[in-house]
Amino acid sequence: MNHLIDVRSLEKTYQNQTILASISFSVNKGEIAAILGPSGCGKTTLLRCLAGLEPISAGDILLKNERVNNVETEHRPIVLMFQEPFLFPHMTVLENVMFGLKQQKLSKKSRVQQGLEMLDKTEMSSYKDTFPHALSGGQQQRVALARALVMKPALLLLDEPFSSLDQYLRDTLRDWVCALLKQEGVTTLLVTHDKEEAMMIGDRVILLKDGNIQQQGKPNEVYQFPENENVEGMFSDGLQLGGTFIPSQYLQIASQDEQTVDKVVSQGTISSFFFKYGLCFYQVKLKEHNVKLILHSKQEFKEGSKVLIMSNMNK
């Protein structure tokens, strides 16, 4: 296996409270792994432990098969990029990007060359002499990414880097960052609470809740085959019925007068509808299962309409 990082039975406790409980996972070289979970589940703590900013209570962190538990932060080839850019306001864009290189005691000529090359890759070359206050939020994030990548980290840790941006900018920057990371071959762990983001960016996903990994694997596999109710609620869309999970793609809405009783798995009420991607989606409230489903239908229904939920999973 071409694992760049192996986390084995990692535990983190604080004042007798368990933050992370026996966490184990691996990330391959050049892979982007998305860590998904609700607020307070331990995502950021995990990144801080990997970066060496927090001591671990038990377990091992192996980087390129070498144990780095006791290696100081500055000597780990790992860079952590926080939610906020944290650019130095008194430095220009280029000076911000070169800051880490200066700590490596490289010559000024080499620092400038590498800094300019990275600004070119992040499409920020024309702002090299600009100060951070004159940049937009998205531009500041690009500079922060350039500052991280110029260090040539073996592992890049991203802690919800798009959460402070508006939806349009978030989508645009997310796609651009993903493409750049793949182009540069940077092994990355991305923390997010947005399942769409995890699904779009991650080569694989790691679902975390209450300090425990609930499931990990390729996004489509986890989405279609959740292993427990936590995963169903966090990442999947569908209906749990008699111990079997039926993904949403196998469910459809029908009016109550349709003669398809043998395929009916539940009944519900249309509570709302919305349009996305040129399609109409209905939110259906299933009283007997105490859940709400979002399902696409070409049929037209009004709010309050009583409907049948059918399954074609066996087709």
Side-chain angles (χ1 to χ4, degrees), residues 1-4 28 65:
M1 297 297 290
N2 192 22
H3 294 165
L4 184 126
N28 296 328
N65 294 318

Side-chain angles (χ1 to χ4, degrees), residues 242-259:
T244 300
F245 181 75
I246 307 176
S248 286
Q249 65 260 42
Y250 297 112
L251 296 172
Q252 61 187 71
I253 311 172
S255 60
Q256 289 193 323
D257 57 358
E258 290 194 32
Q259 302 301 313

